Amino acid sequence: MIEIAKAYDPKEAESSHYERWERSGFFAPEINGDPNATKYSIVIPPPNVTGSLHMGHALQHTLMDVLIRRKRMQGFRTLWLPGTDHAGISVQRKVVEQLRKDDNKSPLEVGREEFVRRAWRWKEDYGNTIVEQMRREGASVDWSRHRFTMDASLSRAVREVFCTLYEEGWIYRGLRIVNWCPKDKTVLSDLEVKEESRKDGKLVYLQYPVKGSDRRVTVATTRPETMLGDTAVAVNPKDERYADLVGQIIKLPLTGREIPIIADEYVDAEFGTGAVKVTPAHDPNDYQIGQRHDLEQLLIMNDDATMSAAAGADFEGLDRFKAREKVIEQFEALGLLEKIDDYEISLPTCERCKTIVEPILSEQWFVKMDEMRDLALGLMRTEGVPHFSPQVPHEKVYTTWLENLKDWTISRQLWWGHQIPAWYDADGEVYVARTLEAACGQAGTIDLTQDGDVLDTWFSAALWAFSTFGWNGEVTETDDLDTFCPTDVLVTGRDIIFLWVSRMMMTTKKFVGKTAFEDVIVTGTVLGKDGKPMSKSRGNGVDPIDLFDKFGVDATRVYLASIATGADIRWNDALIETYRNFANKIWNATRFCLMNSEGARVDHSSLGSEFLLQQGTPPEGGTPSIADKWIVSRLNRTAIDVNKALDKYFFHEAVSLLYHFFWDDFCDWYIELVKDEISDHGDADPGSKTAARTRILTILEIALRMLHPFMPYLTEELWQKLPGTSNELHHAAYGSADASIMLASFPPGDARAIDERAESEMQSVIDVISKVRNIRAEMQIKPSDRLSIHVAASADANRVFAENEAQILKLARADKLVLGDKLDVPKASAKAVTNVAEIAVPLEGLIDFEKEIARLEGQLVKLETEQQRLNGQLSNANFVDRAPAEKVQDIRDRVAEIGTQVSALRLNLEALK
RNA sequence: GCCGACUUAGCUCAGUGGUAGAGCACUCGCUUCACACGCGAUAGGUCACAAGUUCAAGUCUUGUAGUCGGCACCA
């Protein structure tokens, strides 16, 4: 007898196994000893080094680990490659903060070199938080292949890709209106700018005097301060109201400048006043107009969004919003402020710091996306990759986005990141090269200055699907690249489909000629209790680490896997408790089997061959019962369905199948049915007792394997305790490794072991027990009162009941089972019907006739409602003619079944009245 | 403005044209020798609304309402 603790303590199981798995090299593909094994690989979306584990990570990591652990158990050569992202802006900000706090210095004071040195130190000190947290999650990543986006080789890859794209004309430097974050003091790509809609916006109407006339032209703006940079007023060429003014000159107030009135098709005569102020240096549309009309581009702001000298002495140095107020005041003082309307507006904000982004004219580096877009679109259109799960809506959104793709701003005014491999000579001529030496060679001088900007963090992330395997431009062939690239599936959130997924598809195709991955699983968002995305500022977040502490890692993982793929879910403690309870249930079921395991051990031959109960060869120690055949059938059915579900990435379906198999079939029925057979209190003979114990241990062991990818700690803890587990149960690829459930083969299920007859026979037994229990509950029979059960059924059915007499008596708490083809019971009996049997329980002195009548009538109403509905269908000639014959027959069968039951119930009711 | 998703039990959510499901909560009963993180038995539904297609619609189509998301525009 093996005794284990009365309740599952997750901490104990979590304390040791991970360390052993990692130390034993179980996570590395090299553990697989089969040279012909098929590979299965996943690269992790590299978390930011500034990050700590949040619910999104926990969700994604769980799914990836489930996929990897199952494939590993199936004998694939698996690699889940971990890593971290250098997170340019985030780290930069942390280091700036640290500098100010520790040394009260600005980055400029310490200089670039020192700043970058400190950033590396910051990364070493704090950048591993998330890596450690991943160990707690049980993530079976190969730590020996951990990558960081600024590792030497990955940095080399970045430089190589940049130079190649530049040489091919797909990277260029140019003057464009870009998104400027005045707080981070860097440019941002369109994807890093989020629109925030504001209801308290104002639309300000300003009057501009026309030179040599007393006419005024009214323009409207939400950013009045930009008028200081106006270099024209534009109207539609067809707009008759202004036809005579085109070509005339505006005396621009507050500046003394004179600007032309021009005609441009862009202007919508119907909108507003029909006249538009044109600020080419501060608005993308105005920039276009400026280009067409050769207008001056007047930049009136500094990089911190204060007004520059070009804004005029009155405004220089003022913050943009102060300047806005001042412009309005001055227009009012001049009598040129027409009105201010309330206006709903959406403001571009910096994704990270929420500062309002300023559109500003600036010289930056861009990737021209034409070729890249065509690569990605080509893959989607010809091969349908990546295949998104769920497909709707992501495939369409992805495709539409690609079709409308604009150039990608890749330079960032930061120091932390991959410095752009471009150098300038004294004349400002640019030389792009892989090394300084090469640049010098091109320039014919050593007097070069490197571009101070770094690349967008997503630029290096875009290479992640192959740079992590050793590709760096110089090295273009490695074993890992050959073996693991392309990867099989990517698991990520929908927020980075454009930022990351699309770009990996593009660069991987271009630089290694492969499809980065065919499948993309897009996870949903775990929302707070308030139904909004979890965030620090909202304070509605739930920390996965707290959940691990409170409910256990395994419970948290199963819960996360139980969410439908891609669906958002509102956080709810009750749900995770469900799986905490499930873990405890598994623990206790195992505990019970262990308490009754003497003389027995896990032995797959006990079920016939592996996973298969063979009918012809009764295993040693007795013929399996109907219950045994039934549980083996259910087990195999579950295994088959779980595999199907996981192949489709329906994690939630797999969880539900496992949950109900384990709890309902295995615990509620199988354990109860065989309890007497295996327990010390039972009177089974020793041989059949051992055989029964062996069977249940073996079934349990297979169930634990199926649960392992979801609940690695609990299943390993229990598996190690089962007698008879050893590395002999491993998949052949891991034969000699130390025994672990994570290397045991994943049950495929065997269709030949599905026994429809055993399932329906067992169901008839379950139905009888349930009906009697129902009578007990409804008639309020005390648990201690033993009943007699009378059953009228066919000879076949009665044979099954007779075989399970002991079980029926025990589970229905009865002491007598009378089988026959007719009921012969006193009037004072409670009755019930099942699909195959009529049941009666004599209750002399205990029965409440009114209650029994009500109970039977209740059952009758249910059956008659169904009967009516089905008869309605059958009397519809169209249905009988057009529906598949099989369906029609199903309904006829069911109607016949109901008919029998209804008449039995009616007779019973009559007898009571 | 364009595109899309969602609306199912009190709550959180599954649901694949063919008998509406789960967990939790609720009600009743249970110290039944694995588990009260448990066991047994109930109850609870106009599948947002309307029309259509179909023998048959929670499921497909269209429209309406509400909620949310993406993109674009924003003088």
Side-chain angles (χ1 to χ4, degrees):
Chain A
M1 161 144 170
I2 302 168
E3 181 79 50
I4 63 173
K6 208 174 165 184
Y8 175 49
D9 175 12
K11 290 217 176 59
E12 202 182 310
E14 288 162 24
S15 65
S16 62
H17 296 305
Y18 193 90
E19 204 243 4
R20 183 176 74 93
W21 293 331
E22 185 182 346
R23 183 165 27 85
S24 307
F26 290 172
F27 301 154
E30 287 77 14
I31 191 70
N32 190 311
D34 174 9
N36 299 315
T38 310
K39 71 89 194 182
Y40 187 83
S41 58
I42 298 178
V43 289
I44 202 167
N48 289 348
V49 284
T50 50
S52 63
L53 198 72
H54 59 58
M55 208 55 80
H57 295 124
L59 170 58
Q60 289 167 18
H61 296 170
T62 295
L63 300 189
M64 284 183 263
D65 202 38
V66 168
L67 291 169
I68 283 285
R69 282 181 183 271
R70 170 164 161 267
K71 288 290 180 182
R72 188 184 293 115
M73 291 172 80
Q74 288 177 332
F76 286 73
R77 179 179 304 281
T78 51
L79 170 61
W80 180 13
L81 186 142
T84 42
D85 186 285
H86 67 276
I89 294 182
S90 301
V91 170
Q92 176 105 8
R93 199 178 294 146
K94 298 267 184 198
V95 176
V96 168
E97 216 169 90
Q98 200 182 44
L99 258 181
R100 189 174 45 221
K101 224 169 94 188
D102 295 356
D103 299 339
N104 196 25
K105 281 185 177 162
S106 74
L108 280 172
E109 285 173 287
V110 297
R112 181 169 194 141
E113 204 172 316
E114 171 64 9
F115 185 89
V116 170
R117 205 179 58 77
R118 288 188 184 232
W120 274 104
R121 203 171 68 202
W122 188 94
K123 184 252 173 190
E124 298 307 326
D125 290 348
Y126 304 104
N128 287 322
T129 308
I130 201 151
V131 166
E132 289 311 314
Q133 289 171 322
M134 281 185 63
R135 285 188 159 84
R136 179 89 191 271
E137 288 181 297
S140 60
V141 295
D142 180 5
W143 291 111
S144 73
R145 285 177 168 82
H146 182 274
R147 298 288 182 266
F148 175 56
T149 46
M150 283 172 67
D151 285 348
S153 179
L154 278 71
S155 300
R156 215 201 128 84
V158 164
R159 192 176 287 201
E160 176 68 27
V161 166
F162 183 94
C163 291
T164 304
L165 290 174
Y166 179 81
E167 286 153 9
E168 295 183 2
W170 299 115
I171 281 182
Y172 66 93
R173 184 172 157 82
L175 197 61
R176 295 281 182 282
I177 297 281
V178 294
N179 310 295
W180 184 265
C181 175
K183 188 170 171 201
D184 293 325
K185 294 190 184 137
T186 179
V187 64
L188 302 171
S189 74
D190 294 349
L191 288 171
E192 292 161 296
V193 175
K194 296 294 164 205
E195 299 292 328
E196 187 187 315
S197 84
R198 297 273 288 267
K199 293 204 189 310
D200 61 348
K202 303 284 180 211
L203 187 61
V204 179
Y205 290 77
L206 303 176
Q207 296 177 344
Y208 287 177
V210 178
K211 186 182 179 185
S213 147
D214 48 11
R215 283 184 69 177
R216 295 169 179 178
V217 175
T218 303
V219 296
T221 178
T222 55
R223 293 187 292 152
E225 69 282 9
T226 60
M227 63 78 51
L228 298 168
D230 283 0
T231 53
V233 167
V235 298
N236 190 287
K238 297 197 184 76
D239 193 335
E240 289 170 10
R241 292 172 296 175
Y242 298 110
D244 59 320
L245 288 179
V246 173
Q248 299 214 40
I249 300 296
I250 292 285
K251 287 188 64 132
L252 190 64
L254 315 189
T255 66
R257 287 189 289 115
E258 296 190 343
I259 60 176
I261 297 174
I262 58 173
D264 193 282
E265 291 288 352
Y266 165 77
V267 180
D268 179 359
E270 306 296 314
F271 191 94
T273 63
V276 181
K277 60 189 277 306
V278 182
T279 323
H282 290 275
D283 181 281
N285 293 307
D286 293 6
Y287 174 79
Q288 298 293 339
I289 297 176
Q291 291 290 95
R292 286 195 285 274
H293 298 269
D294 202 21
L295 298 176
E296 187 190 354
Q297 298 160 338
L298 196 60
L299 200 60
I300 53 159
M301 277 185 207
N302 301 311
D303 65 5
D304 60 354
T306 58
M307 307 310 285
S308 70
D314 266 7
F315 293 91
E316 185 178 1
L318 276 186
D319 175 78
R320 56 186 161 164
F321 301 114
K322 290 266 159 49
R324 180 173 300 175
E325 287 168 25
K326 190 162 179 179
V327 165
I328 293 172
E329 280 166 22
Q330 296 205 358
F331 265 78
E332 187 159 32
L334 292 169
L336 294 173
L337 181 66
E338 186 166 309
K339 61 174 176 175
I340 301 180
D341 283 351
D342 289 335
Y343 193 68
E344 199 175 320
I345 190 174
S346 66
L347 291 173
T349 57
C350 172
E351 179 182 49
R352 293 177 188 284
C353 72
K354 311 298 175 203
T355 305
I356 295 172
V357 163
E358 199 64 31
I360 209 166
L361 189 68
S362 177
E363 186 155 43
Q364 300 291 339
W365 290 91
F366 300 88
V367 179
K368 197 165 161 58
M369 295 307 285
D370 305 37
E371 186 201 22
M372 294 293 199
R373 177 197 53 225
D374 290 346
L375 282 173
L377 271 178
L379 284 170
M380 179 53 86
R381 285 179 180 149
T382 60
E383 296 168 46
V385 289
H387 176 264
F388 289 97
S389 293
Q391 190 170 8
V392 178
H394 300 112
E395 182 176 309
K396 189 174 172 188
V397 171
Y398 173 81
T399 310
T400 309
W401 179 78
L402 282 176
E403 284 163 350
N404 300 298
L405 198 48
K406 290 191 209 156
D407 289 358
W408 171 17
T409 316
I410 49 169
S411 42
R412 295 290 182 276
Q413 287 63 53
L414 305 172
W415 284 348
W416 176 242
H418 302 98
Q419 193 168 353
I420 292 178
W423 285 264
Y424 304 93
D425 65 16
D427 301 327
E429 196 66 34
V430 66
Y431 305 96
V432 170
R434 285 156 183 79
T435 60
L436 171 60
E437 291 69 36
C440 292
Q442 284 180 34
T445 168
I446 56 160
D447 189 18
L448 295 179
T449 315
Q450 187 169 4
D451 193 307
D453 290 353
V454 300
L455 289 165
D456 182 1
T457 301
W458 293 107
F459 192 89
S460 52
L463 317 181
W464 190 250
F466 58 95
S467 64
T468 49
F469 295 122
W471 188 99
N472 64 17
E474 184 177 42
V475 177
T476 55
E477 285 174 34
T478 67
D479 286 348
D480 274 7
L481 202 58
D482 189 45
T483 309
F484 298 113
C485 180
T487 58
D488 289 87
V489 58
L490 187 80
V491 180
T492 191
R494 49 174 167 251
D495 51 334
I496 55 176
I497 290 176
F498 303 151
L499 280 165
W500 190 49
V501 176
S502 65
R503 290 164 180 169
M504 279 200 291
M505 291 305 291
M506 298 168 184
T507 59
T508 309
K509 187 71 184 170
K510 177 155 180 69
F511 289 92
V512 294
K514 293 182 180 180
T515 305
F517 33 78
E518 295 209 344
D519 293 348
V520 176
I521 297 171
V522 183
T523 57
T525 312
V526 182
L527 307 171
K529 284 187 175 130
D530 56 0
K532 304 223 167 91
M534 290 185 179
S535 77
K536 275 183 200 151
S537 57
R538 252 189 228 104
N540 62 348
V542 177
D543 184 346
I545 301 294
D546 292 344
L547 297 177
F548 295 165
D549 290 340
K550 197 169 166 198
F551 301 103
V553 171
D554 290 316
T556 309
R557 289 171 57 117
V558 190
Y559 165 59
L560 292 169
S562 77
I563 301 167
T565 312
D568 288 350
I569 191 166
R570 196 183 285 223
W571 181 257
N572 186 341
D573 273 347
L575 289 164
I576 197 163
E577 277 179 36
T578 299
Y579 294 104
R580 190 264 318 259
N581 297 350
F582 183 44
N584 193 54
K585 187 74 179 176
I586 296 167
W587 176 270
N588 274 290
T590 308
R591 176 168 183 259
F592 177 73
C593 292
L594 288 173
M595 288 168 76
N596 297 289
S597 64
E598 200 169 297
R601 57 203 306 279
V602 171
D603 175 7
H604 289 274
S605 69
S606 69
L607 307 183
S609 66
E610 196 173 21
F611 315 129
L612 174 63
L613 188 71
Q614 282 183 347
Q615 305 295 329
T617 55
E620 201 183 333
T623 316
S625 65
I626 293 173
D628 293 327
K629 293 183 198 165
W630 169 78
I631 195 69
V632 170
S633 181
R634 293 286 311 134
L635 176 72
N636 280 279
R637 197 186 281 282
T638 303
I640 290 168
D641 292 346
V642 163
N643 279 295
K644 271 190 205 157
L646 289 177
D647 284 340
K648 289 186 291 183
Y649 305 130
F650 285 6
F651 300 89
H652 63 293
E653 197 175 303
V655 168
S656 163
L657 285 162
L658 290 167
Y659 182 92
H660 291 292
F661 169 76
F662 199 92
W663 202 309
D664 302 349
D665 295 342
F666 186 70
C667 293
D668 285 351
W669 288 105
Y670 189 67
I671 289 183
E672 296 303 331
L673 288 163
V674 302
K675 215 168 217 176
D676 285 341
E677 216 180 335
I678 66 169
S679 95
D680 284 328
H681 313 284
D683 53 2
D685 71 80
S688 59
K689 182 176 285 185
T690 303
R693 287 175 169 183
T694 298
R695 280 194 295 268
I696 198 168
L697 278 177
T698 306
I699 288 158
L700 172 65
E701 195 267 342
I702 295 171
L704 289 178
R705 291 196 211 179
M706 291 198 285
L707 288 161
H708 174 75
F710 298 93
M711 311 178 88
Y713 291 115
L714 170 67
T715 51
E716 178 77 311
E717 179 78 7
L718 293 175
W719 191 83
Q720 297 287 351
K721 294 183 195 300
L722 294 185
T725 51
S726 72
N727 61 9
E728 283 175 22
L729 298 175
H730 282 183
H731 187 281
Y734 312 111
S736 59
D738 280 353
S740 168
I741 192 173
M742 68 175 279
L743 302 177
S745 55
F746 192 84
D750 186 334
R752 289 169 301 170
I754 290 178
D755 186 337
E756 302 284 356
R757 182 181 170 132
E759 290 198 22
S760 75
E761 287 179 350
M762 195 66 240
Q763 193 57 50
S764 70
V765 172
I766 288 173
D767 285 346
V768 167
I769 294 167
S770 297
K771 290 292 179 188
V772 176
R773 282 174 171 174
N774 174 260
I775 289 168
R776 295 196 73 106
E778 300 275 327
M779 294 291 124
Q780 291 168 318
I781 313 286
K782 277 186 285 187
S784 53
D785 286 345
R786 298 284 151 169
L787 308 170
S788 295
I789 302 170
H790 294 249
V791 173
S794 68
D796 256 3
N798 278 337
R799 177 187 54 77
V800 173
F801 297 141
E803 267 184 50
N804 289 278
E805 179 174 1
Q807 285 83 353
I808 292 172
L809 294 179
K810 179 180 161 80
L811 298 182
R813 306 183 74 77
D815 54 9
K816 193 172 162 203
L817 178 65
V818 181
L819 301 173
D821 58 354
K822 255 192 215 115
L823 287 179
D824 180 17
V825 290
K827 181 185 172 191
S829 298
K831 308 265 182 61
V833 289
T834 74
N835 289 346
V836 301
E838 273 189 75
I839 299 163
V841 176
L843 290 173
E844 197 64 56
L846 289 172
I847 197 160
D848 176 334
F849 285 100
E850 275 179 35
K851 212 181 256 180
E852 174 66 0
I853 288 170
R855 200 177 65 83
L856 292 180
E857 278 174 345
Q859 293 182 19
L860 197 53
V861 166
K862 265 191 201 162
L863 285 169
E864 282 175 339
T865 312
E866 192 184 344
Q867 191 179 35
Q868 224 165 21
R869 188 170 47 75
L870 296 180
N871 277 331
Q873 267 186 299
L874 286 177
S875 63
N876 179 344
N878 278 326
F879 171 71
V880 179
D881 291 348
R882 297 192 177 188
E886 200 184 332
K887 288 281 174 224
V888 178
Q889 192 54 46
D890 281 354
I891 288 181
R892 290 210 166 107
D893 292 348
R894 178 66 187 148
V895 165
E897 217 171 66
I898 294 172
T900 315
Q901 294 184 26
V902 163
S903 45
L905 280 174
R906 282 216 181 103
L907 281 173
N908 292 337
L909 265 173
E910 283 309 305
L912 287 175
K913 281 173 181 169

